[in-house]
């Protein structure tokens, strides 16, 4: 019985890894835009002084799995999602700086 419980715990620990936010030293690519892929780099955000919970909360990105939140430029320009910080005040403005995020 103990072997089954240990195996289940190990499986559960590894199964949860894909659902975690992008930690420092890792990046994730979003490829659905005609403007080019967007890479979210956890290290860049950490170096800027942010923690995972600064973005992954009930107001911005409540779920930490890629594809669970639809990201649109209208939302970003409306100071939602990435645009909450990328408005030219806290971080570079998304509007007018397409190539800072989108790479073809």
């Amino acid at each position: 019985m103990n072997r089954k419980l240990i195996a289940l715990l190990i499986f559960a620990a590894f199964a949860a890894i894909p659902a975690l936010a992008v930690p420092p030293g890792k990046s994730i690519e979003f490829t659905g835009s005609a403007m080019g892929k967007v890479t979210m780099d956890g290290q860049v955000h950490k170096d800027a002084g942010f923690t995972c919970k600064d973005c992954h909360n009930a107001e911005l990105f409540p779920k930490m799995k890629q594809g669970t939140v639809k990201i649109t430029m209208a939302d970003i320009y409306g100071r939602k999602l990435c645009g909450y910080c990328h408005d030219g005040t806290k971080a570079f403005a998304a509007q007018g700086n397409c190539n800072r995020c989108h790479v073809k």
Side-chain angles (χ1 to χ4, degrees):
M1 184 67 160
N2 283 341
R3 282 185 178 178
K4 286 183 182 180
L5 180 59
I6 291 170
L8 179 63
L9 291 173
I10 291 171
F11 174 78
F14 283 103
I17 289 172
L20 298 176
V22 182
K26 300 286 182 181
S27 63
I28 190 167
E29 289 184 353
F30 299 90
T31 58
S33 173
M35 290 290 298
K37 73 177 178 182
V38 174
T39 301
M40 193 293 192
D41 188 325
Q43 190 67 47
V44 169
H45 288 83
K46 178 182 184 275
D47 291 348
F50 295 99
T51 67
C52 299
K53 290 185 179 189
D54 288 330
C55 297
H56 292 285
N57 56 56
E59 287 119 32
L60 294 179
F61 293 94
K63 299 188 179 193
M64 291 193 265
K65 187 170 182 182
Q66 184 177 10
T68 58
V69 177
K70 181 171 175 57
I71 301 171
T72 67
M73 292 312 299
D75 284 337
I76 293 172
Y77 293 161
R79 295 202 69 234
K80 297 177 184 171
L81 306 171
C82 307
Y84 184 80
C85 291
H86 288 280
D87 65 348
T89 304
K90 192 179 260 189
F92 70 87
Q95 196 160 12
N97 289 299
C98 304
N99 294 335
R100 299 267 320 249
C101 298
H102 293 274
V103 179
K104 286 193 179 191

